Structure formats: structure tokens, C-alpha cells
Amino acid sequence: MLSPRTVTSGLELQSPEEPAKLQTPARGTRKASSGDAPSSHPSEDARPGLGSLRRAFSRTSQQASGQGPEEDRSLFQRSSRFLFRSLRRSRDDGATTDQSQAAAVPGVARGPEVPSRIADGGSRRSSTGVGSEKLESETEGKSVADLITERQLLAAFEQLRQLEMRLVAEKASHTFEQDPTGFARRAMDVCLHYDGLAAEIRAIVRETLGPARVDAAALGELARAVRAEEAAHPAPPADGDFLLTPRRWRQHWEDAVRSSAQERVRAAAAEAPGPEGAAGLARLLAQLGGAVRSDLHKVRQEVQPAYSAAGFPAWEAYLRAFHGAVAQRLQELAQDARGCEQLYVLLDWAANVYGSPDFLGTPDLTLSTEPLPPLLAPAVWARLESDYISFLETKITSCFDSILQLEQSRWAGAEAPDVLQGLYHTPLSIDVHMLVAEHVKAAGAISAELEATTLRICTRALGLFLPRFEKAFLESKAVSEPHLGANINACEELRTSLLARFPGTFEELEKPLVAATCTFQKRLLQGLQDDVQPLFRVLCTKAWLTHDVLQPLMNKVVTFAHHLEHVAPLRAQETLQEVHRYVVREYLAQVLRPRERFRGEERMTSSQKMGLDAQAIGDTFQGLGSEATWLDQAIPCVADILGETYKDDIQRHLETLIRNYPDIRRDHVLAILALRRLGRRRNQRLLQHAQSLLTAAGKAGGSGGSGAAGGHVLFEEIEVPASVDLLITCI
């Protein structure tokens, strides 16, 4: 930026006492270039035309601006343009210009371009009698340039204001028509000194947030000068006079504050995130936040009080400036963000770090979000969210793949599941819970919409994961009661806890979770069935009549039930009832498909044996906690039919059997009657009565029902093959 000392020293008007070495080269140059003899009227020779003044003003402006920013050069160019426009307007409105002056101007215009500060002293002390001494301070004889250099901005402005008012008065009285060149030179000096003051304002603002302590006096002087200029130039003059045009120093000050904030932000976050990815970006944003926090603390504690003493609001300007600078830098970083982690770091920093009420560290300093524009433009924010969601889908799928690999490694290592709080435990449910909760919580910290989207992503991914997990486990060599129980517990925990924690989201997962649980339960039952099925084959044989062949079977059931003690209670009860139903069903299947036929005493003995077995089965399952008491009457009813000595009571036993088990079919009744070996007429009468009872039960159960009361199924799953005995019974 333009150095204030360079500008003001170059703009300082030369007093008559200045050394002649600054004047002689200029006059010598003019003589050499003109090619004419020395004139007897040096004041007229030294008076350049408007063209020469324009070129001289332009060169002086360029020299004064040096290597300053483009805004300083444009400011000087505006000064020159408005100055000469004002001069033209004033000359056109005044009296007719003397022809000798018109002839003199072109002659000098062909001469060299001379800045006003090195015009000769005779010309500076023209007929108006107002020369460079007008820019001398009445106190201690300091020039305006010296006052600007010493940052006595208010005193410098007051001196310039006095000269400006004198020039306006001269213009109004057309006094300058006697010496338009002198007027133009003095007006140009005023403009350049005004520009120097503006440049010094920018320099003060730029230095404010530097490492040195804040110069409170300079800031107070700046604020008073800005307010004084606004009071002196409240609005542009009606005639467009440049001298009275508002200098808009407050706007220059705000622009300087914005430039300073941008420089500070860019310096704090200058480097790229680098190969560290999200970690590097997080560190960069942490540096940015720390720098902004430090600068705003300095503004509030040191800068704002200095401005407030002069009645100048600075906090809002600095707050908006830093907000805009941070937004610009963040959008630049957003262009290069790659991967789920980097995108989340940006979104999280914008929403939760910078947007936090505690960002500045103290309760009285907050970044209010209401008056400030969004940190990220809506389009940029939407793009970041969209990219994040795309990466998140891939990442969550990858996480579920990792969970499956971990489970497979445990299966391969033959690791038995742990028992936690009395239940078989697998890390599956914890891993899934942590995965879902982590991403949902992170997304919820940014926005509710992103949280809902993340929940949907997790739901879809988990729904696709469950069949893969189920298939991989059942194909592994780790299938056993403890592992099956652990997986049942995991599915049950996911079903209950996810639905409770995220209501309205995971309902669609209930079906696949229940399906997976049922698959594991069936596999658990299948293992028991494969183990005890051979033991059912000895039932209803001659050896069965004299030996307790049921006890080994029930021992295996009890051993199996011990595993159910480590399964979730609801699922354990379902499985135990299914085991109870299986034992009763398979027992009846052996009775209805006997390997040997009993007659006479053997039939009576078999009836008694069935009663004892039914009692043992009922007591065992009751002791294990089975609630399927509806199964207790099935075997005794069949035993009563086989052992009933009073044949007329057989119909009553059939009625009890059909009433308790409406899923029984005519084939089952035929098989039971075949075991009893009654006469043809009695069999037909009992079959007709049973058929009427079955028809009535079917109507009561509904045309679409299965015929099982309360959903209980027993006889429906027992297949009865056709045999000669059944055929004879039917005939």
C-alpha cells in the first residue's frame, strides 16, 4: 500500500524559502525546451496551460503513488479528472478569457511537464497573494505534509479545509481568472493532500492488527478526522464542484478494514492442507480460527475502545470484514476438498466451530449469525453436503464390510462368544450401534436434513448387510448353540434398541432383523432335531413297553435348554416352546405310524406308557419354563382312546381331542381308530361325528384360517401314510 510519508513529502508545497536548487533545473529545462529567448515576463513563462497541467498532475500522481495499490492510483486519477472538469466548468461560466492568456497557454503547453511543487517562486506568489504558505500550519509552522507524517490527521484536515474554502471563495468571485494556472496548482495540491490523508488512513488501519501495540491516539485521530470530513462534506455540491465533493473517508476506512482482514486471514491459512488430508485441513482451520479469534479479541479490547472514544463504531466493521474474509478462504478450501473426512471437517468447522457461540471464547463476544451472511454460499454448502453424502454411502458400506471380516476372523479362530450379563454376546451389535450412532450424531451436528439422510443411508446399508452376514455365518464352521444364541441376541438388541433410539426410521429394518432371528432360531432347532431324531425311532416298540427309552431324549432337551438360558428371554421362550411342540409332535407321529401293532394287553400297556411319557414330557418342559401348556392334552387324549374299555366313551375322547386341536384332520382320526380296531359300524359312526365336528371347527376358524386355534399347529404337520389298516377302517 502507499506509504503515507512518501506521499505527503512528495506533495508538500514549496515555500519561497526553499533552496534554489529545486527551482533552477526546472527553469533551465523550460528555456532549453522552448527554444526562445528569456522572456521579460517570467511569471507568464512559468504558467503552463491546461494540457501541461494535466500531464504534470498525472506524473506527480504516479510519482506520489509509487508502488502503491491500484486503489491509490485510481483515487489520484479521480482527483485529476474532477479537478480539470471543475476548472472547465468554472471557466465556461465566467467572463470571456483574455486572448493573451489563451495565446500564452498553448505556448507553454509545448514546454516540459512541471509539478506544482517546483514551479518558481514568482509564479507561486501570484496576484491572489495566496501561495504555499497557505498549507503551513499556523501552529509551530508545520506543513500539512508534516502533520500527515506525524499522523495529526485532524489538524491536517482543518488546514486543508481552510484552503479549500478560500479556493471556493476565489472561484465564486472569479478571482482565479487572473491566474488560472496558480488556482489549478493550488487546487491540485489540496486534492493530492486529501489523497495523502486517505492513504495515511489506510496505512493506520493496516498497522492496527500488527504485532505492535495499538496506537490509540492515531485511531482516535483517524476517527475524528473521518467524522470532521463527513461534517464538512455532507453531500456533493449542486454545481458538481470538485473541491466540495465528499472524500468518502469512511468508505476508504471500511475498505482498508476489509483488506486488512483478508491479509490476516490469508496469512493465517496460506498453505494448502497437504498430504495429511483431513488432519492437515483440520490443523489449517484450527490455525485460521485461532488467528481470527486473536485478532477479534484485540479489536474488542484495544481497537474498539480507541474508536469508541471518538464516537466511531469499529466492532461491527471488523466483525463483518473478518466474516467475509473467512468465508472467502473457506470457499477456496471447499474447492479442493476431497474425501468424506475433508468434506466433513469443512462442514463441521463452519457449522459447529465457527458457528458456535463460544467461538471467540468469552460470553460477551459472539459471532451473531443473524446480521451476517452465510459463511458458505447456499450453492457451495449444498455441493459439499451432496459430495459428503456420496462419500458417506461408500464409507458406511466399507465399514459394514469390515464388521463382517472381523466376525469371520472370530469364527475362523474358533473363539467362543462371551457371556455378558448372563447372555451370549458378540461384538456385532456394538459395532453396528457405534457405526450408526457415530455418523448420525456427526451429521446431526451439522444439520437435521443431513442427519435424516445419514439415517436413511445406515438403514439401507444395514438391510443389505444382514443377509450377507446370515449367509456367511451359516456357511462357516462356527455354527453352534453358543454362536447361534449370540447372533440371536445381537439381532434382537439391534431390533429393539435401534427402533427405540431412532423411532420412525428403522421400521423397515424390523422385517429383515426378525427374519434373520428366525433363521438362527431354526438353525438352532435343526441342530437339536438332528441330535434327538434317532431316539424317537424306539418309541412304540416292544422294547419301549418295558424300558424307559424317553429319558435319554429328554436329557438332550434339558442340555439344549441350558443354552437358551443365555439367549434373550423372549426369543428363548419362543425357541423352548418350539422344542416342546417338536417333541410332542414327533411323539404323536411315532404313535400314529407305529412300527409294531399292539393288541389286547399290549395295547392297554402302550396306553398306560403313553400316559407316563406325557406326564414326563409335561413336567420336564414345565420345569424348563415352557409356557406352551396347550400341548399337555394331546398325548393323553390319544392314550385315552387307545386304552378306553368302555367303547361308547371313545366319542367323548374324540370330541375333546378335536376341540383342543382343531387342526387335526380326518386322516389323523382314521389312524387313531385303526390303532383301536373297533367294528365297522362304530368306526363309521365315529368318523361321521368327527367329520361334523371338524366341519364346525373349520367354519368357526374362518374360511381363510388354517384350522388351528390361536395359531397353534400340531397335527397339521404330522403326515399319516395310507396303510391296509386305515383302508380297512374306512371300509
Side-chain angles (χ1 to χ4, degrees):
M1 185 175 287
L2 184 64
S3 172
R5 288 162 179 80
T6 302
V7 173
T8 54
S9 61
L11 302 180
E12 181 181 357
L13 293 178
Q14 184 161 342
S15 65
E17 292 78 17
E18 288 179 332
K21 63 182 179 180
L22 296 178
Q23 303 174 3
T24 304
R27 288 197 299 270
T29 304
R30 285 196 297 272
K31 291 177 182 179
S33 62
S34 66
D36 297 334
S39 173
S40 59
H41 303 285
S43 61
E44 293 182 3
D45 292 340
R47 184 182 305 141
L50 291 178
S52 297
L53 283 174
R54 183 186 295 273
R55 290 191 296 273
F57 184 83
S58 177
R59 176 172 296 180
T60 303
S61 299
Q62 294 171 2
Q63 294 172 350
S65 61
Q67 299 299 321
E70 184 64 28
E71 60 187 73
D72 293 337
R73 284 195 291 273
S74 64
L75 192 148
F76 284 121
Q77 291 166 3
R78 288 197 304 271
S79 300
S80 173
R81 183 170 63 254
F82 285 116
L83 171 62
F84 286 103
R85 186 184 302 165
S86 177
L87 284 173
R88 287 196 191 97
R89 186 184 299 108
S90 298
R91 291 187 62 189
D92 293 342
D93 294 341
T96 304
T97 306
D98 186 71
Q99 295 298 324
S100 60
Q101 294 176 352
V105 171
V108 180
R110 292 188 295 270
E113 302 166 0
V114 183
S116 62
R117 64 166 293 173
I118 50 180
D120 74 29
S123 175
R124 295 171 65 93
R125 291 184 296 273
S126 58
S127 59
T128 61
V130 182
S132 63
E133 65 274 10
K134 293 301 180 180
L135 293 181
E136 295 284 341
S137 174
E138 296 178 357
T139 304
E140 299 180 358
K142 292 182 180 179
S143 66
V144 174
D146 290 336
L147 292 173
I148 295 175
T149 301
E150 296 174 1
R151 293 188 169 175
Q152 299 183 32
L153 305 185
L154 184 59
F157 170 73
E158 291 174 351
Q159 294 300 316
L160 283 174
R161 175 64 175 162
Q162 292 175 11
L163 181 59
E164 183 181 40
M165 296 308 297
R166 291 194 186 101
L167 290 175
V168 170
E170 291 177 8
K171 180 181 175 182
S173 62
H174 303 289
T175 305
F176 77 93
E177 294 179 0
Q178 302 300 321
D179 187 8
T181 303
F183 178 86
R185 184 168 53 248
R186 288 153 53 209
M188 179 177 65
D189 287 332
V190 171
C191 294
L192 293 178
H193 279 81
Y194 269 133
D195 293 345
L197 273 169
E200 190 67 20
I201 289 174
R202 287 190 291 273
I204 293 173
V205 173
R206 186 176 64 250
E207 297 169 4
T208 298
L209 296 180
R213 288 188 58 82
V214 173
D215 188 349
L219 297 183
E221 190 76 6
L222 184 155
R224 287 187 289 271
V226 170
R227 297 188 64 187
E229 188 279 329
E230 290 177 340
H233 303 136
D239 59 355
D241 193 340
F242 174 78
L243 288 174
L244 296 178
T245 298
R247 304 294 166 171
R248 304 190 185 281
W249 285 351
R250 186 183 292 268
Q251 183 64 45
H252 292 317
W253 175 79
E254 292 177 352
D255 293 342
V257 169
R258 282 192 290 271
S259 298
S260 176
Q262 290 173 357
E263 291 176 4
R264 302 286 297 177
V265 167
R266 192 161 295 278
E271 70 276 8
E276 301 177 16
L281 180 59
R283 185 177 62 255
L284 183 67
L285 292 174
Q287 293 174 357
L288 173 60
V292 172
R293 190 180 301 110
S294 175
D295 285 343
L296 288 178
H297 278 176
K298 186 173 183 179
V299 169
R300 193 56 179 259
Q301 295 171 3
E302 300 181 42
V303 178
Q304 171 67 8
Y307 280 114
S308 298
F312 206 71
W315 172 248
E316 292 77 6
Y318 272 97
L319 187 61
R320 289 183 175 275
F322 272 97
H323 181 77
V326 171
Q328 179 181 352
R329 183 59 181 139
L330 205 62
Q331 296 198 31
E332 292 172 355
L333 293 173
Q335 298 297 325
D336 302 326
R338 296 294 181 271
C340 184
E341 289 77 12
Q342 286 194 16
L343 291 168
Y344 182 79
V345 167
L346 279 174
L347 292 170
D348 179 65
W349 193 87
N352 301 321
V353 179
Y354 184 83
S356 170
D358 302 327
F359 174 68
L360 295 181
T362 56
D364 59 331
L365 296 181
T366 58
L367 287 174
S368 176
T369 57
E370 294 183 0
L372 299 176
L375 188 62
L376 289 173
V380 176
W381 183 273
R383 181 184 66 81
L384 289 177
E385 277 196 345
S386 177
D387 293 346
Y388 173 73
I389 290 170
S390 299
F391 282 109
L392 185 63
E393 290 178 339
T394 303
K395 181 180 179 181
I396 290 178
T397 301
S398 176
C399 289
F400 276 112
D401 292 341
S402 299
I403 291 175
L404 182 57
Q405 292 174 2
L406 288 174
E407 291 294 323
Q408 288 175 327
S409 66
R410 295 189 187 97
W411 302 335
E415 299 178 12
D418 298 328
V419 178
L420 296 180
Q421 297 180 348
L423 300 178
Y424 288 131
H425 173 75
T426 175
L428 173 66
S429 60
I430 293 180
D431 292 342
V432 173
H433 270 291
M434 291 181 62
L435 173 63
V436 174
E438 175 186 356
H439 287 92
V440 171
K441 180 180 179 181
I446 295 176
S447 68
E449 294 78 7
L450 190 59
E451 179 183 14
T453 302
T454 304
L455 277 172
R456 289 193 294 270
I457 293 173
C458 292
T459 301
R460 288 196 300 268
L462 182 55
L464 295 174
F465 167 79
L466 287 172
R468 295 171 54 213
F469 173 80
E470 175 186 320
K471 183 175 182 293
F473 173 74
L474 295 179
E475 292 177 352
S476 70
K477 298 179 180 179
V479 178
S480 63
E481 288 83 358
H483 279 101
L484 286 166
N487 290 338
I488 292 173
N489 293 338
C491 291
E492 181 67 9
E493 184 178 353
L494 288 173
R495 188 184 69 85
T496 56
S497 59
L498 286 179
L499 290 176
R501 185 169 182 179
F502 305 105
T505 304
F506 284 92
E507 278 78 1
E508 62 183 87
L509 280 178
E510 185 168 9
K511 288 184 178 180
L513 283 169
V514 170
T517 302
C518 291
T519 300
F520 294 135
Q521 284 179 306
K522 289 179 180 179
R523 186 64 182 83
L524 192 62
L525 287 170
Q526 185 64 45
L528 175 65
Q529 291 172 5
D530 294 342
D531 194 21
V532 302
Q533 187 64 37
L535 299 179
F536 281 104
R537 296 174 184 173
V538 298
L539 296 177
C540 299
T541 62
K542 299 291 185 178
W544 168 66
L545 293 176
T546 57
H547 296 83
D548 187 6
V549 297
L550 184 66
Q551 189 59 42
L553 187 151
M554 299 310 298
N555 289 339
K556 289 184 177 294
V557 170
V558 172
T559 301
F560 174 83
H562 289 330
H563 292 293
L564 297 181
E565 295 176 359
H566 304 299
V567 177
L570 179 61
R571 300 306 172 189
Q573 180 61 220
E574 290 177 353
T575 306
L576 182 61
Q577 290 186 29
E578 189 63 24
V579 172
H580 191 176
R581 191 174 72 91
Y582 166 75
V583 170
V584 173
R585 185 187 68 207
E586 288 301 312
Y587 190 100
L588 289 174
Q590 296 299 322
V591 171
L592 298 181
R593 299 193 304 264
R595 296 179 182 274
E596 300 178 20
R597 294 289 176 174
F598 302 125
R599 294 180 176 86
E601 292 297 327
E602 289 182 342
R603 178 170 54 79
M604 297 299 295
T605 303
S606 66
S607 174
Q608 296 173 1
K609 184 69 171 178
M610 289 175 61
L612 295 174
D613 287 348
Q615 184 67 37
I617 293 172
D619 292 345
T620 300
F621 279 102
Q622 183 179 2
L624 294 175
S626 174
E627 298 175 0
T629 56
W630 63 277
L631 293 167
D632 294 342
Q633 297 301 317
I635 298 175
C637 282
V638 175
D640 290 343
I641 293 174
L642 295 179
E644 181 60 56
T645 57
Y646 187 60
K647 295 181 179 180
D648 290 339
D649 287 343
I650 294 177
Q651 179 174 325
R652 179 170 55 83
H653 296 314
L654 274 176
E655 292 174 353
T656 302
L657 183 63
I658 294 173
R659 183 173 59 252
N660 292 335
Y661 305 97
D663 66 319
I664 194 171
R665 299 192 305 270
R666 184 172 182 271
D667 293 343
H668 300 122
V669 175
L670 283 173
I672 295 172
L673 293 179
L675 295 175
R676 187 65 178 83
R677 293 183 179 273
L678 299 172
R680 177 177 61 86
R681 292 182 179 179
R682 190 179 294 277
N683 282 341
Q684 289 179 349
R685 187 171 63 251
L686 291 174
L687 281 174
Q688 290 176 356
H689 184 65
Q691 186 62 47
S692 63
L693 292 175
L694 291 174
T695 302
K699 291 181 179 180
S703 58
S706 63
H712 298 157
V713 177
L714 180 63
F715 284 92
E716 185 177 335
E717 296 177 353
I718 300 176
E719 295 182 2
V720 181
S723 65
V724 176
D725 291 333
L726 291 179
L727 180 61
I728 293 174
T729 302
C730 293
I731 295 174

Coordinates of all heavy atoms in Angstrom, one line a residue, residues 90-98 174 177:
S90 N -15.9 26.1 -14.5 CA -15.8 27.5 -13.9 C -15.4 28.5 -15.0 O -15.8 29.6 -15.1 CB -14.8 27.5 -12.8 OG -15.2 26.6 -11.8
R91 N -14.5 28.1 -15.9 CA -14.0 29.0 -16.9 C -15.1 29.2 -17.9 O -15.3 30.4 -18.4 CB -12.8 28.4 -17.7 CG -11.6 28.3 -16.8 CD -10.4 27.9 -17.6 NE -10.1 28.8 -18.6 CZ -9.2 28.6 -19.6 NH1 -8.6 27.5 -19.7 NH2 -9.1 29.6 -20.6
D92 N -16.0 28.2 -18.2 CA -17.1 28.4 -19.1 C -18.1 29.4 -18.5 O -18.8 30.1 -19.3 CB -17.7 27.1 -19.5 CG -16.8 26.2 -20.3 OD1 -15.8 26.8 -20.9 OD2 -17.0 25.0 -20.4
D93 N -18.3 29.3 -17.2 CA -19.3 30.1 -16.6 C -18.9 31.5 -16.4 O -19.7 32.5 -16.2 CB -19.8 29.5 -15.2 CG -20.5 28.2 -15.4 OD1 -20.9 27.9 -16.6 OD2 -20.5 27.4 -14.5
G94 N -17.6 31.8 -16.3 CA -17.0 33.1 -16.0 C -17.1 34.0 -17.3 O -17.6 33.7 -18.3
A95 N -16.4 35.1 -17.1 CA -16.3 36.1 -18.2 C -15.4 35.5 -19.3 O -14.7 34.5 -19.1 CB -15.7 37.4 -17.7
T96 N -15.4 36.2 -20.5 CA -14.6 35.7 -21.6 C -13.1 35.9 -21.2 O -12.7 36.9 -20.7 CB -14.9 36.6 -22.8 OG1 -16.3 36.5 -23.1 CG2 -14.1 36.1 -24.0
T97 N -12.4 34.8 -21.5 CA -11.0 34.7 -21.1 C -10.2 35.6 -22.0 O -10.4 35.7 -23.2 CB -10.4 33.3 -21.2 OG1 -11.3 32.5 -20.4 CG2 -9.0 33.2 -20.7
D98 N -9.2 36.3 -21.5 CA -8.4 37.2 -22.2 C -7.6 36.5 -23.3 O -7.1 35.4 -23.1 CB -7.3 37.9 -21.3 CG -6.5 39.0 -22.0 OD1 -7.1 40.0 -22.4 OD2 -5.4 38.7 -22.3
H174 N -14.5 34.7 -9.1 CA -13.8 34.7 -10.4 C -12.4 35.3 -10.3 O -11.9 35.8 -11.3 CB -14.6 35.4 -11.5 CG -15.9 34.8 -11.7 ND1 -16.1 33.6 -12.3 CD2 -17.2 35.3 -11.4 CE1 -17.4 33.3 -12.4 NE2 -18.1 34.3 -11.8
E177 N -9.5 33.8 -12.5 CA -9.4 34.1 -13.9 C -8.1 35.0 -14.2 O -7.6 34.9 -15.3 CB -10.6 34.8 -14.4 CG -11.9 33.9 -14.3 CD -13.1 34.7 -14.8 OE1 -13.0 35.9 -15.2 OE2 -14.2 34.1 -14.8

